[in-house]
Amino acid sequence: MTADLFDSLPGPGPDEEPLAEGAVLLRGFARERADALVAAVRAVEAAAPFRHLVTPGGYRMSVAMTNCGTVGWVSDRSGYRYDPDDPIAGRPWPTMPPVFAALADAASVKAGFGPFAPDACLINRYEPGSRLSLHQDRDERDTGAPIVSVSLGLPATFLFGGLQRSDPTRRVRVEHGDVAVWGGPARLAFHGIAPLPDGSHAILGRQRINLTFRKAL
């Protein structure tokens, strides 16, 4: 399936920009499939609309979120966790679209982590001014698998640090179709998104969509 979806990519492949040991940015890796990815996002949104979650401390997140896959990441006053059901709809999250799973697998292979079968995709929608503070993806039972993060829409500043919040943080511009992959020694690296500047994207308008693929269970 991966080969069928990605064997038409032009040239020798995307540029690879190392971020740290175990972390790489694949420039433009998803660009040729962006239209299909956006269409899949809209299908997921129709079944499980974006919503602003609340942190355990009671703060409303500026980023709107939804999920697809076997489980979805949720947050409320009781804590952070993965749940098989959408707490708003009271039914399972939408099935992960094949184009999502194929892209995540292909990016993992390209980054040197081998085959990857994510069971969760967190979809974040950023609007101008929204941000995601430095955090670790550590709610997953399987931290041996990498994280695959896909940028669509407006460009943003990706923050990528070390294993301690106080470690130096790189600021990297990510654009439509870029894919970041990290695992191994970088699997628990702190990362985030700086406040999104205003602008307009040809496909997504005044927003940025981020797909984060994880092996949660």
Side-chain angles (χ1 to χ4, degrees):
M1 178 170 62
T2 300
D4 291 342
L5 286 172
F6 291 93
D7 59 8
S8 61
L9 286 173
D15 293 333
E16 299 182 28
E17 182 178 329
L19 299 175
E21 183 183 359
V24 64
L25 182 62
L26 305 176
R27 291 285 185 189
F29 190 78
R31 193 174 301 136
E32 293 296 312
R33 300 296 167 179
D35 288 350
L37 295 171
V38 170
V41 169
R42 289 172 175 158
V44 171
E45 178 186 6
F50 284 101
R51 74 291 305 266
H52 292 270
L53 301 180
V54 175
T55 69
Y59 294 99
R60 177 181 182 270
M61 294 184 180
S62 66
V63 176
M65 302 178 178
T66 188
N67 293 274
C68 64
T70 304
V71 292
W73 186 87
V74 296
S75 172
D76 55 27
R77 289 279 193 162
S78 65
Y80 304 119
R81 65 192 181 280
Y82 283 96
D83 197 310
D85 294 329
D86 178 346
I88 293 178
R91 58 175 180 264
W93 294 102
T95 301
M96 188 178 301
V99 68
F100 279 17
L103 173 59
D105 179 58
S108 176
V109 170
K110 181 65 177 178
F113 290 102
F116 176 44
D119 53 17
C121 178
L122 172 62
I123 307 174
N124 289 342
R125 184 183 68 196
Y126 295 79
E127 296 177 333
S130 59
R131 62 189 292 270
L132 196 61
S133 59
L134 285 175
H135 65 282
Q136 295 171 300
D137 290 349
R138 59 184 310 150
D139 298 319
E140 300 75 34
R141 297 179 191 172
D142 185 356
T143 56
I147 301 291
V148 175
S149 177
V150 182
S151 294
L152 300 169
L154 287 176
T157 299
F158 180 49
L159 309 174
F160 197 82
L163 300 182
Q164 304 296 325
R165 189 182 296 273
S166 58
D167 287 344
T169 300
R170 290 191 59 177
R171 298 173 62 89
V172 182
R173 180 182 172 91
V174 288
E175 301 182 343
H176 184 65
D178 289 347
V179 180
V181 186
W182 63 95
R187 173 59 181 76
L188 293 177
F190 278 87
H191 58 282
I193 293 290
L196 187 72
D198 203 352
S200 182
H201 186 266
I203 298 173
L204 288 169
R206 296 178 66 241
Q207 62 180 341
R208 172 183 183 261
I209 298 292
N210 180 251
L211 312 175
T212 303
F213 297 96
R214 303 163 177 166
K215 187 73 170 65
L217 302 180

